[in-house]
Amino acid sequence: MNRESKLLFQKACDSLVTSIELFNRPVDTGRVTASLILMDHAFEMILKAAILKRGGRIREKRAKETIGFDACIRRALSDSRIQFLSKEQVLLLQTINGLRDAAQHHLLDISESQLYMQAQAGLTLFRDLMKGVFDERLEDRLPKRVLPLSTSPPVDIAMLFDSEIAEIRKLLGPKRRRKLEAEARLRPLAILESTINGEKDQPSSGDLNKIARKLMAGTDWKEVFKGASAIEMRSEGQGPTLALRFAKKEGIPIQVVPEGTPGASVVALKRVNELDFYNLGATELAQKVNLSISKTVAVVDHLNLRSDPDCYKVIRITKATSFKRYSQKAIEKIKECLLKTSIDEIWKGRKRTA
């Protein structure tokens, strides 16, 4: 390591130790916010140290400041010269960063179980980076007593969400209506969900209200938090050697979001590879059925295909970015329709109703 990389690495270790110290403190004053801020800082420092060690740059040409957290992640994931992060590891880093952002800038009421899960998974990832990039053991750099401690560690994400949703429903129940407290409790779950789906923006009060209404209407949390239901925690070892890692369930891909996508994180998890299934835009669909775009849309409206989930879907990458896509089944239905009804008849009918 060069000197800058060594100093950043030591700074990362210092922040990690202090984060865990604050996590384990018996006094709650400022504990959650401070431990999340320092955990996030520890990762930014070790990412920069690792990029430098791999021969990368942490400053753009003629820039006065170093690159930010997201840029570090993207380089560590996508730059083939220095790559040292997996997509699952990026999901965890995005989640920690999102929780830190909420804790530092607004209100966050995170349960002990979820905070422990983030702290222990964070410690595991830090250990993996130390070994994989720096060929050092965590045990050699940090005091052996430094590890997150919990009297009730969570078993898995499903149990965590079950218990959290039950508490939120109590806060919003009849004769209580503690809306602000419920929003603060719901926010970390929403951050986890939006992070998994590749959204960088913090959930607004409106977003949280929509989620709360669905939960109070009895909707299963797996339908409300589809991204989180596709993630699991895998553990190995115990005590000081306990490792806790994010993992996606089998068959569910993680995609790298194109750089520059508004309001987007670096990676996003999709329950199905939707862009492969819904692989046609309006132009491609028109070409497949040998019609103009306007006449193709006329047939789509005639068949009401946009109400058929097998044929059409609006795929959202972020809140600000969406794509209107058609599947191969839309081609079949349009061709079947044109065997029975001529395009001229459909077009004339469209003009009459316009």
Side-chain angles (χ1 to χ4, degrees):
M1 284 188 284
N2 62 30
R3 181 164 177 76
E4 185 178 12
S5 181
K6 285 182 179 179
L7 291 173
L8 288 169
F9 181 65
Q10 184 57 54
K11 195 173 183 180
C13 292
D14 292 345
S15 289
L16 181 73
V17 171
T18 311
S19 173
I20 298 170
E21 176 189 351
L22 289 164
F23 177 92
N24 290 336
R25 73 189 299 188
V27 179
D28 283 333
T29 305
R31 170 176 166 267
V32 170
T33 299
S35 60
L36 286 171
I37 288 174
L38 284 163
M39 177 71 75
D40 182 77
H41 182 257
F43 278 115
E44 183 168 343
M45 294 300 100
I46 198 171
L47 289 176
K48 289 177 178 177
I51 290 170
L52 288 173
K53 188 175 188 303
R54 291 287 176 95
R57 301 166 62 95
I58 60 171
R59 286 182 180 82
E60 302 292 355
K61 289 183 178 179
R62 292 182 291 278
K64 294 181 179 180
E65 298 180 352
T66 58
I67 58 176
F69 195 89
D70 283 353
C72 287
I73 290 176
R74 193 172 289 278
R75 290 189 185 185
L77 175 69
S78 303
D79 189 329
S80 58
R81 295 185 304 112
I82 61 174
Q83 191 272 331
F84 56 84
L85 285 178
S86 70
K87 293 175 182 177
E88 287 85 353
Q89 290 172 332
V90 172
L91 281 178
L92 175 61
L93 289 171
Q94 288 178 176
T95 303
I96 291 173
N97 187 245
L99 292 170
R100 188 278 311 164
D101 193 36
Q104 183 168 348
H105 299 295
H106 195 222
L107 299 174
L108 183 77
D109 184 4
I110 186 170
S111 70
E112 280 302 311
S113 293
Q114 189 176 354
L115 184 62
Y116 170 79
M117 183 177 71
Q118 299 297 336
Q120 185 64 66
L123 182 65
T124 301
L125 175 52
F126 200 93
R127 177 191 296 153
D128 292 343
L129 293 179
M130 284 185 68
K131 183 62 179 174
V133 180
F134 301 95
D135 196 26
E136 291 200 29
R137 298 193 322 148
L138 180 72
E139 294 81 0
D140 295 338
R141 275 277 182 166
L142 307 180
K144 288 182 172 57
R145 65 185 180 278
V146 178
L147 73 162
L149 301 175
S150 174
T151 56
S152 55
V155 177
D156 59 23
I157 287 181
M159 291 187 67
L160 170 68
F161 268 77
D162 284 340
S163 62
E164 287 300 293
I165 298 305
E167 290 301 315
I168 290 166
R169 282 174 172 153
K170 286 180 184 177
L171 290 171
L172 294 174
K175 299 182 180 179
R176 299 195 75 180
R177 298 297 176 188
R178 293 164 60 182
K179 181 181 175 183
L180 196 60
E181 291 92 334
E183 279 190 11
R185 192 77 179 250
L186 187 55
R187 185 169 284 110
L189 305 183
I191 289 171
L192 177 60
E193 174 70 11
S194 61
T195 297
I196 288 170
N197 290 325
E199 296 177 5
K200 180 70 175 174
D201 295 338
Q202 290 284 315
S204 65
S205 292
D207 295 330
L208 297 176
N209 285 335
K210 288 179 184 178
I211 295 172
R213 284 196 294 271
K214 289 179 182 178
L215 294 175
M216 293 307 292
T219 306
D220 191 311
W221 71 262
K222 295 183 182 67
E223 289 299 313
V224 180
F225 299 101
K226 291 182 178 181
S229 68
I231 290 291
E232 59 188 3
M233 302 301 296
R234 294 178 183 169
S235 63
E236 57 188 49
Q238 58 185 352
T241 63
L242 175 64
L244 193 64
R245 296 181 177 91
F246 265 25
K248 66 183 180 65
K249 293 181 179 176
E250 188 175 353
I252 302 172
I254 301 176
Q255 303 173 15
V256 178
V257 180
E259 189 170 5
T261 303
S265 298
V266 179
V267 301
L269 182 143
K270 296 292 181 185
R271 287 182 64 83
V272 295
N273 201 339
E274 295 174 321
L275 288 173
D276 281 351
F277 183 78
Y278 301 97
N279 57 3
L280 302 168
T283 301
E284 292 85 1
L285 180 63
Q287 292 170 348
K288 295 289 186 182
V289 297
N290 296 316
L291 295 174
S292 67
I293 293 178
S294 56
K295 287 187 176 180
T296 301
V297 173
V299 183
V300 167
D301 290 343
H302 174 75
L303 294 173
N304 198 23
L305 289 187
R306 283 190 281 258
S307 297
D308 185 347
D310 288 334
C311 296
Y312 175 83
K313 185 168 185 177
V314 177
I315 299 175
R316 297 193 178 279
I317 302 299
T318 70
K319 293 176 184 175
T321 308
S322 62
F323 300 94
K324 298 176 181 179
R325 308 292 291 179
Y326 298 88
S327 72
Q328 295 291 319
K329 291 187 178 182
I331 300 174
E332 297 174 14
K333 293 207 171 185
I334 290 174
K335 288 184 174 180
E336 287 175 5
C337 173
L338 294 177
L339 291 174
K340 301 173 184 177
T341 309
S342 72
I343 184 60
D344 292 334
E345 186 178 344
I346 294 172
W347 187 245
K348 287 178 184 177
R350 182 182 180 86
K351 285 189 172 181
R352 284 196 299 268
T353 58

